[in-house]
Amino acid sequence: MTDSQNETDAELALAAAELATEWVSGSKPLSEAQGWVLVGLQHVGSGHMEMHAWDCVDDWERRLAEVLAADDGSEAGRRRSEAAKQAAVSEMRDMFLEGIKSQEWLNRTWNYGRGPNPRAELRRFIASQQ
């Protein structure tokens, strides 16, 4: 993979992670459909790894939602919320980047036209949220 491809992957994953993070609130959990979208974008390739991806998404959401729910509107609360959002974006970006690697190195079905291209999937997700 080239440096420019790595940069493109990072940009795609970051844009998708920023949008996914906006789904999380302190008062309303992610819907099951939203959870499936986030798990699906990780392209885990097996039922066992899918369960692991669900655990990661659940933990990611719980940590962010707890901080957002505790935001009392004070300056300190806003700073904690902003820091938690930034950490959540970084973590989800990394999950999406791992999904690209997983699809490329483990599954490779999209190379033969039999499965989703992980980059195209991220682009579709981004377009659907704008």
Side-chain angles (χ1 to χ4, degrees):
M1 185 175 301
T2 66
D3 286 340
S4 63
Q5 184 63 56
N6 283 335
E7 184 176 322
T8 300
D9 289 351
E11 291 168 354
L12 276 173
L14 178 60
E18 288 170 342
L19 292 167
T21 300
E22 290 301 315
W23 283 355
V24 179
S25 78
S27 61
K28 182 179 166 204
L30 289 177
S31 69
E32 186 173 346
Q34 289 170 320
W36 274 115
V37 167
L38 299 180
V39 168
L41 288 170
Q42 294 180 50
H43 298 281
V44 292
S46 74
H48 173 72
M49 291 306 293
E50 189 175 89
M51 290 171 35
H52 174 72
W54 266 108
D55 288 343
C56 291
V57 168
D58 285 343
D59 289 345
W60 169 84
E61 177 195 14
R62 180 190 43 75
R63 285 191 307 274
L64 178 55
E66 286 174 355
V67 174
L68 296 177
D71 187 342
D72 58 4
S74 68
E75 182 63 32
R78 285 191 293 278
R79 280 195 309 271
R80 282 189 299 272
S81 290
E82 189 55 39
K85 285 180 185 178
Q86 289 174 352
V89 166
S90 294
E91 186 177 354
M92 185 56 66
R93 178 204 60 214
D94 293 347
M95 284 188 241
F96 290 154
L97 285 170
E98 284 301 312
I100 291 172
K101 289 178 190 173
S102 174
Q103 188 70 347
E104 280 188 336
W105 294 103
L106 300 176
N107 301 328
R108 296 185 186 218
T109 57
W110 65 273
N111 283 328
Y112 308 108
R114 295 190 314 258
N117 178 319
R119 293 172 186 90
E121 293 286 308
L122 284 173
R123 286 185 192 99
R124 271 194 289 282
F125 172 71
I126 292 165
S128 74
Q129 300 302 305
Q130 296 177 335

